[in-house]
Amino acid sequence: MFLRPIIHIYDDTLFVMQRKWFQMSKFVSHLTTTMYCGCYAMSFVLFALQFLYRYIATCMPQHVVKFQGIRFFFWIFGAFCIALSWESAAFFLFPQSDRTQKVFLNIVNQSYGLDPDFVDYVPYRYFENDEGTRKVILLNIIGIIQHVIIMVVSFGTLFYCAFKTYSTISKHKGMSIKTKELQMQLFRALAVQATIPMIFMYAPLLFLYACPLINLQLGAMANYQTIMGQLYPGVDPFAVLFLVNVYRRTLLNIICLRTTSLKESSIQENSRKYEAAVSPRGDPRRPKSSTVSPRC
């Protein structure tokens, strides 16, 4: 809400812009714009930390203490440092130039009708034309490599921890039918929660960074990334709410204003499963009128 970001691709440049609420110095204005870039890094690191914690809690519970007490703040501090490195790269390795300033003024006036004095930007541009020759801008290439490394390490950690967590839990033997069913529901939720960041964050952002390389003109359509980034926190919890039966029934009861309590619903379901396990259909020993008390 404070930054009100705009993303625009024109020619061979990706512009990440922010609309200022009030007049700032050039330094502070550019610093707040790069802060938006750093927020993406913080998101990627927190994705990885979330799955790392799940992996440790499942596979190495003796190390859970490393996430407790004051040690928890060291993890947050580490995530903040990585986000700060992304922001620093955006600040120092993607400088504004006369050419990007000219294109920026054209975009702001023609596409958005905004006052340029109240907009700042970070130009992601990898090449420049010098007398017909396309030359690589080394600083920008170093910056984009730094961004991609953070994304790859984050997603690699997420994928590895999700896979190891699934493998470890699936090897557990001697579980009851109810526990095994709950584990399968959690497996599905884990798989979906590992996929959602890829769909909403990793893949769209990588595609956005690739557009200037392949000279793909998206224009204002590049703002899809701001929408995807804002949708992710709202979509992610639905993987658990709809794939775990107990949560889904409770949610539907609330939505449909049903009065059946969670405890009653669970007892009824357990009774049906008990009946099926004790006397399968077609068993001549089972009386047709027999029922099992919910207290069983």
Side-chain angles (χ1 to χ4, degrees), residues 275-288:
E275 288 181 5
V278 174
S279 288
R281 290 182 181 178
D283 190 340
R285 294 173 296 177
R286 180 188 178 190
K288 292 183 179 181

Side-chain angles (χ1 to χ4, degrees), residues 144-161:
I144 204 64
I145 289 174
Q146 187 260 6
H147 288 5
V148 172
I149 287 175
I150 292 177
M151 295 174 65
V152 170
V153 172
S154 169
F155 184 75
T157 303
L158 183 155
F159 182 82
Y160 173 81
C161 292

Side-chain angles (χ1 to χ4, degrees), residues 105-144:
L105 292 174
N106 180 65
I107 292 173
V108 169
N109 291 322
Q110 299 298 324
S111 299
Y112 300 100
L114 298 172
D115 183 353
D117 291 334
F118 281 84
V119 183
D120 194 82
Y121 68 97
V122 176
Y124 284 81
R125 182 168 173 250
Y126 314 132
F127 304 99
E128 61 181 353
N129 295 317
D130 185 12
E131 298 179 356
T133 305
R134 201 181 192 195
K135 293 184 178 180
V136 173
I137 304 175
L138 186 59
L139 276 181
N140 292 18
I141 296 298
I142 294 173
I144 204 64

Side-chain angles (χ1 to χ4, degrees), residues 17-35:
M17 300 178 278
Q18 68 114 344
R19 291 170 285 169
K20 296 180 281 187
W21 289 95
F22 47 85
Q23 194 58 263
M24 313 175 190
S25 68
K26 185 66 177 176
F27 175 82
V28 174
S29 176
H30 197 58
L31 188 65
T32 54
T33 307
T34 57
M35 189 185 300

Side-chain angles (χ1 to χ4, degrees), residues 194-248:
T195 306
I196 289 175
M198 185 65 184
I199 296 174
F200 282 85
M201 297 292 287
Y202 290 96
L205 193 59
L206 283 173
F207 174 72
L208 206 61
Y209 286 149
C211 286
L213 287 172
I214 59 179
N215 201 24
L216 183 60
Q217 305 292 325
L218 290 184
M221 289 180 63
N223 284 293
Y224 76 82
Q225 180 53 52
T226 62
I227 298 172
M228 299 289 273
Q230 292 165 21
L231 281 176
Y232 169 78
V235 172
D236 184 66
F238 284 100
V240 175
L241 288 175
F242 284 101
L243 293 177
V244 178
N245 291 343
V246 177
Y247 293 157
R248 183 174 65 251

Side-chain angles (χ1 to χ4, degrees), residues 51 54 58 162-172 175 179-195 239-240 243-244:
F51 279 84
R54 291 182 180 185
T58 303
F163 176 77
K164 293 295 290 185
T165 303
Y166 173 85
S167 301
T168 301
I169 298 179
S170 62
K171 291 177 183 177
H172 289 178
M175 293 187 295
T179 303
K180 191 172 293 185
E181 181 182 349
L182 178 60
Q183 292 289 12
M184 287 307 300
Q185 294 170 25
L186 293 174
F187 290 160
R188 299 188 195 103
L190 183 67
V192 172
Q193 283 192 309
T195 306
V240 175
L243 293 177
V244 178

